[in-house]
Amino acid sequence: MKTIKKYAAVICRAGKILLVRKKGTDMFISPGGKPEDGETKKACLERELNEELGVELVSAEYFGTFTRKSAFEDTLVEIEVDIVKIFGQPKPCSEIAEIAWMDGEHLENGVAIGSVFAIDVIPSLIRNGLVRKSGKKINNDLPNMLVFDIDGTIADGGIVSDKMKAALQTIKDGSSSRLAFATSRAPRGARKALGDLCREVPVICCNGSVILDEMHQQTLVSGLSQKDVNTIVQFLDEMEVSYFLEYGDKFAMSGNELLFPEMLAYEDKETLDKASPTWDQGVIKISCRSEHIHQKLMPLYKSLSESIAFNFHGDDTAELNCDFTDKYKALNLISGISHYNLICFGNDDNDFTLLSNASEGYVIGNELPGLESSMNVSRLVRNDDDIIDKIRLYLAGNE
């Protein structure tokens, strides 16, 4: 029987693996494919990842070689598998009809997955701790903690509607469920959007780098090193990208301030003074804004992705935090997650880990394609009424 050589890219995140389904098929397989004549493995993976998912290959590490009968042809397929790191937000492109984030539970439930990955690769990834066997489930003996991102989830244009605030207040006033917020905003921004709602509840700020506890005592989880701040700022200046440095109690801007209209009204705004000996100390987050921001930051990501988390919002905004923490890790530090069913609502890349680790998670809107394929995640349109209906459902279940 003929043997076909293919290269496969394993993309893992938060205990899940990203698989794809081609148009006209019902089988999920890995990103990747056959090399073209004279094409190296690296070149093949770069091409396939760009064509299928619209992302760039950053690095690849050999995982193993596996041979099975093809799911589509009367041949054997020898698949050389690499665990890869990518840059960009994966989405179905070209011949790909659907992408899906899966774990071992999908195998148990009989989801159609290519034989090499179903029999060999995913079980091996589970044994190596790269993919989880299953996600969390609702425990009816535990109370619920409802956790909300702000912008794009419960707020439009930075405004939380009165009826949404009223619904969130019912969680806060109840005796059985607990309320928390997890946002990319700094504490000042969270207070502006939420008002009294954020009093006496945990608020995770700056993508997990700052925690405000119930008494609004501020805890810095993790800031950026001076070395990384200098590297990032030098790069942004050379690329003529506007940005601001977030210190928690103040922020300093550089470049075209009009690109950040949401920040101009705050009284703790400063102009960045690099002549000051302390300008690069205590920086929690760097926010930058420009057209084609993904493309412009690609070289920086390749050099700093081991220490810096890159969180993108749309096509023009990126936030850079220390990679040590994220919203989910920060929430664990303050709330005792094991004592609650974690019900999470988010809409963007910085919510991926939070939603993936929830007992039940909700992607709001159209971002994070494929995450709703997870057994514990669903998708809702950005609509106050739909989110409020979910709030009422969980409050009724905890009575």
Side-chain angles (χ1 to χ4, degrees):
M1 186 178 290
K2 182 181 177 182
T3 299
I4 297 175
K5 177 78 171 183
K6 291 186 177 182
Y7 296 118
V10 167
I11 302 169
C12 294
R13 188 176 183 187
K16 303 175 187 291
I17 181 173
L18 182 63
L19 298 178
V20 303
R21 182 178 62 80
K22 293 186 176 182
K23 295 175 181 177
T25 73
D26 59 3
M27 184 79 65
F28 284 94
I29 59 175
S30 68
K34 304 174 189 176
E36 296 179 349
D37 290 343
E39 193 174 44
T40 64
K41 177 173 68 171
K42 181 175 181 292
C44 177
L45 291 176
E46 287 176 337
R47 175 179 54 79
E48 292 283 359
L49 287 169
N50 185 261
E51 290 176 356
E52 295 183 347
L53 299 174
V55 299
E56 302 291 331
L57 175 68
V58 175
S59 63
E61 181 180 351
Y62 176 74
F63 184 72
T65 300
F66 308 88
T67 303
R68 293 279 175 181
K69 189 177 183 300
S70 171
F72 306 111
E73 307 169 74
D74 188 23
T75 62
L76 291 176
V77 180
E78 179 185 281
I79 301 182
E80 187 170 327
V81 178
D82 277 46
I83 297 173
V84 305
K85 179 181 288 187
I86 60 171
F87 180 75
Q89 308 306 309
K91 56 186 180 296
C93 301
S94 183
E95 62 184 359
I96 303 303
E98 180 184 2
I99 66 174
W101 289 96
M102 299 189 180
D103 57 26
E105 194 169 358
H106 291 79
L107 290 178
E108 295 178 4
N109 289 346
V111 174
I113 298 174
S115 59
V116 167
F117 268 69
I119 299 171
D120 300 306
V121 179
I122 294 178
S124 183
L125 291 168
I126 292 173
R127 289 192 296 271
N128 282 273
L130 297 173
V131 172
R132 67 191 187 191
K133 293 185 67 175
S134 64
K136 294 180 179 178
K137 304 289 189 298
I138 291 289
N139 182 339
N140 292 326
D141 294 328
L142 295 178
N144 296 326
M145 169 179 276
L146 282 75
V147 184
F148 297 86
D149 171 52
I150 298 177
D151 296 286
T153 298
I154 58 171
D156 291 316
I159 305 299
V160 182
S161 70
D162 289 341
K163 66 178 179 180
M164 178 61 75
K165 285 183 177 179
L168 294 169
Q169 187 67 43
T170 62
I171 307 172
K172 185 177 175 182
D173 291 342
S175 59
S176 55
S177 295
R178 191 176 180 190
L179 175 65
F181 297 98
T183 177
S184 63
R185 291 180 174 228
R188 82 179 75 78
R191 287 190 286 265
K192 180 179 180 181
L194 299 172
D196 289 342
L197 269 174
C198 65
R199 296 179 183 273
E200 299 178 351
V201 300
V203 183
I204 309 301
C205 297
C206 296
N207 298 316
S209 291
V210 175
I211 294 172
L212 299 178
D213 65 16
E214 284 88 342
M215 304 307 296
H216 265 227
Q217 297 296 311
Q218 181 170 306
T219 300
L220 174 64
V221 177
S222 185
L224 297 168
S225 71
Q226 289 176 260
K227 178 181 177 181
D228 284 343
V229 170
N230 277 270
T231 300
I232 294 166
V233 165
Q234 180 180 349
F235 178 88
L236 296 177
D237 287 341
E238 290 174 355
M239 297 295 292
E240 298 182 345
V241 173
S242 298
Y243 60 91
F244 67 86
L245 309 185
E246 178 60 65
Y247 298 91
D249 58 347
K250 63 180 180 179
F251 64 100
M253 307 190 79
S254 178
N256 184 359
E257 297 185 0
L258 296 179
L259 291 177
F260 299 92
E262 71 277 15
M263 303 299 296
L264 298 181
Y266 292 112
E267 295 180 355
D268 54 353
K269 176 179 71 72
E270 299 181 354
T271 299
L272 181 59
D273 179 14
K274 294 178 191 169
S276 169
T278 60
W279 74 269
D280 56 359
Q281 298 176 23
V283 178
I284 299 170
K285 178 182 74 170
I286 299 178
S287 294
C288 47
R289 189 165 288 170
S290 172
E291 292 183 340
H292 312 299
I293 195 67
H294 288 81
Q295 179 181 342
K296 289 182 178 179
L297 293 188
M298 174 67 170
L300 188 66
Y301 181 85
K302 285 187 172 181
S303 65
L304 289 180
S305 61
E306 295 300 322
S307 60
I308 301 297
F310 288 67
N311 295 297
F312 291 94
H313 301 274
D315 297 325
D316 65 351
T317 302
E319 296 175 328
L320 281 59
N321 292 82
C322 176
D323 195 45
F324 174 77
T325 190
D326 57 35
K327 291 181 179 182
Y328 177 69
K329 291 177 183 176
L331 194 62
N332 268 285
L333 295 178
I334 195 170
S335 61
I337 293 297
S338 61
H339 302 300
Y340 292 90
N341 294 311
L342 190 61
I343 314 298
C344 297
F345 299 77
N347 78 306
D348 223 333
D349 188 57
N350 58 348
D351 299 310
F352 187 100
T353 304
L354 186 67
L355 296 171
S356 295
N357 287 286
S359 302
E360 290 185 350
Y362 294 92
V363 181
I364 308 300
N366 299 320
E367 297 300 318
L368 301 175
L371 188 55
E372 74 276 14
S373 299
S374 303
M375 296 294 182
N376 63 320
V377 180
S378 303
R379 186 176 295 276
L380 295 175
V381 298
R382 172 63 196 100
N383 179 291
D384 277 3
D385 291 336
D386 288 350
I387 297 173
I388 291 170
D389 284 345
K390 290 295 180 183
I391 291 173
R392 290 170 177 162
L393 176 68
Y394 285 112
L395 290 180
N398 256 188
E399 291 300 325

